Amino acid sequence: MLALPPAPAPPRPRLLLVGTALVCAAGSMLFTGLLAIYLQARETAGGTTAAWFPRGVQVPEIAANILVITMIGAVIVASWAVYAVRRGARTDAYVALAALAIFGIAVLNAQVYIWRQMKVGLLKPAGQPFPLYFYSTTGTLFAALLTGIVFTAVVVFRTLGGHSTPKDSEGLMALTLYWYFLAAATVAVWFVVYVNK
């Protein structure tokens, strides 16, 4: 008697991608709340840049713009990594992931440079709420960027180990989704904190 062939393996649930999507949704709510609180505090302080910013503090606009442009470049490079793995071009994927890590470090460097140039101290006279809101908003973005770099390092090691294939690029897709979230958060923080002031 002939036996039937074994049933195909059930499709693997995309836990990493779903988990990353949930983290991105939670992060979006976090940044929306932080920026809303920032704008409310600015409005309470007088609603103008002169009333909100401490005297002598200026935003280094070139560094802030480079921060956003570099983040947009990081998103493009992350998408390139997914495209390269799906085509089977592993060398291109390695280059793209290395470039993504470099772009992430460049964004962190730009943020630290902005902090150093602005010289906003936390211990300002009472009644000046700007430092607290400024550092809580930009510091949260900094922490999210650090998480993105660690996530990138994990995906790089998994890709080097052969876990990312043309048929299974879930880790790279999750990484790219996270960097899209980071780019959106960076643009929002850039506009509210550095452009709108």
Side-chain angles (χ1 to χ4, degrees):
M1 192 177 215
L2 296 173
L4 293 173
R12 188 172 152 255
R14 297 184 170 269
L15 296 177
L16 182 60
L17 191 59
V18 171
T20 303
L22 291 174
V23 166
C24 292
S28 298
M29 289 186 275
L30 172 67
F31 280 104
T32 301
L34 280 172
L35 293 175
I37 292 169
Y38 181 92
L39 289 172
Q40 178 63 38
R42 181 181 185 272
E43 191 62 34
T44 302
T48 63
T49 301
W52 179 238
F53 260 49
R55 287 195 179 137
V57 173
Q58 290 185 348
V59 174
E61 293 175 6
I62 293 174
N65 293 341
I66 287 174
L67 182 136
V68 169
I69 292 168
T70 306
M71 182 54 77
I72 292 169
V75 168
I76 292 169
V77 169
S79 299
W80 174 34
V82 172
Y83 176 73
V85 164
R86 287 199 170 168
R87 275 189 348 201
R90 297 188 70 74
T91 304
D92 288 352
Y94 299 148
V95 170
L97 289 170
L100 179 60
I102 291 169
F103 273 67
I105 292 169
V107 171
L108 290 178
N109 185 40
Q111 182 59 62
V112 170
Y113 178 81
I114 291 169
W115 286 337
R116 291 181 60 109
Q117 291 299 309
M118 288 183 67
K119 297 178 183 170
V120 177
L122 284 174
L123 302 175
K124 290 288 183 183
Q128 180 58 283
F130 174 77
L132 173 67
Y133 294 105
F134 173 73
Y135 282 119
S136 63
T137 303
T138 58
T140 303
L141 180 62
F142 191 85
L145 287 165
L146 277 175
T147 304
I149 291 172
V150 171
F151 192 7
T152 302
V154 169
V155 171
V156 164
F157 287 121
R158 288 183 56 85
T159 302
L160 287 171
H163 288 279
S164 295
T165 63
K167 291 184 178 181
D168 182 20
S169 57
E170 180 186 1
L172 281 171
M173 289 174 16
L175 177 68
T176 301
L177 177 64
Y178 188 76
W179 279 94
Y180 272 103
F181 154 70
L182 284 178
T186 302
V187 168
V189 169
W190 168 77
F191 182 75
V192 170
V193 176
Y194 297 130
V195 174
N196 192 30
K197 299 177 188 139

